[in-house]
Amino acid sequence: MKATSFSGLWLSLCISVMAVLILSGCSQTSTKDHLYQQLGSSAGIEKIVDGLLVEIEQDPQIVHHFRDTDIPRFRKLLIEQLCELSGGPCKYTGASMQESHTGFKITQADFDNLVRHLMKVMTAQNIPIAAQNQLLGMLAPMYGDVVYR
Ligand code: HEM
């Protein structure tokens, strides 16, 4: 009798743990799906990148880095990257962040400027602050590959 209730306890414990794991897995997926939607899906992300390109063009501190860049290609790749990162139905086809930024001598101040521009553009598009922070949190780990030391 005792052994039965003990194994019953284990069984319900295992079921609870599995349920928590499954639910947390699902909620992670839906949070990501949600981020893509919150950024405005495909059209919203294109608008963010277009807004960012305008900000870059008007920023004398960073625009020189893009002097020789193929802007339509850069635009396409950044859209792909933000779409994939936010859980959208895209595949990023560009180079790694380390490969594509090596040699540009991008400083911490440059990085901060770009982030500031991105926040300004997202705010102008009424992207909720939590979604902005979620995206910035995904970009932050790229800092080490982008910034020159
Ligand atoms: C987390 C932040 C950043 C992300 C996610 C990002 C993303 C990208 C992507 C997707 C590309 C295209 C890669 C390829 O050519 O295959 C790229 C290229 C480039 N990025 Fe960034 N970038 C970031 C930060 C910066 C910063 C701070 C600067 C300078 C202010 C910068 C300057 C450039 C330049 C100049 C290129 C073009 C390189 C070329 O012409 O070959 N990036 N970036």
Side-chain angles (χ1 to χ4, degrees):
M1 185 65 179
K2 251 187 172 176
T4 315
S5 55
F6 185 69
S7 58
L9 190 70
W10 266 111
L11 185 65
S12 49
L13 193 68
C14 289
I15 289 171
S16 312
V17 169
M18 275 164 63
V20 168
L21 289 176
I22 289 166
L23 285 176
S24 63
C26 290
S27 72
Q28 261 177 15
T29 311
S30 66
T31 307
K32 260 197 135 191
D33 286 349
H34 199 47
L35 178 60
Y36 176 66
Q37 311 296 339
Q38 286 193 304
L39 296 179
S41 305
S42 166
I45 290 175
E46 284 181 25
K47 213 170 150 200
I48 291 171
V49 170
D50 286 337
L52 188 62
L53 287 175
V54 171
E55 293 298 318
I56 290 173
E57 203 186 351
Q58 293 173 355
D59 182 344
Q61 191 180 329
I62 63 170
V63 71
H64 66 278
H65 290 301
F66 297 85
R67 199 177 36 217
D68 300 324
T69 296
D70 174 346
I71 298 296
R73 180 179 172 274
F74 171 66
R75 175 184 183 274
K76 171 185 164 275
L77 291 171
L78 194 55
I79 290 169
E80 275 178 12
Q81 191 187 36
L82 297 186
C83 171
E84 184 179 274
L85 269 179
S86 63
C90 312
K91 180 91 191 82
Y92 174 62
T93 58
S96 73
M97 290 297 94
Q98 193 176 25
E99 269 177 302
S100 50
H101 295 89
T102 296
F104 285 92
K105 301 202 171 170
I106 294 166
T107 64
Q108 180 179 342
D110 294 338
F111 191 92
D112 292 348
N113 272 15
L114 196 87
V115 168
R116 205 164 36 80
H117 296 322
L118 185 57
M119 287 166 68
K120 181 182 164 190
V121 167
M122 289 196 289
T123 301
Q125 275 176 235
N126 298 317
I127 310 283
I129 294 292
Q132 293 190 26
N133 288 340
Q134 203 182 338
L135 181 66
L136 295 176
M138 289 169 169
L139 300 181
M142 299 175 186
Y143 176 90
D145 288 336
V146 169
V147 170
Y148 163 78
R149 333 134 193 254

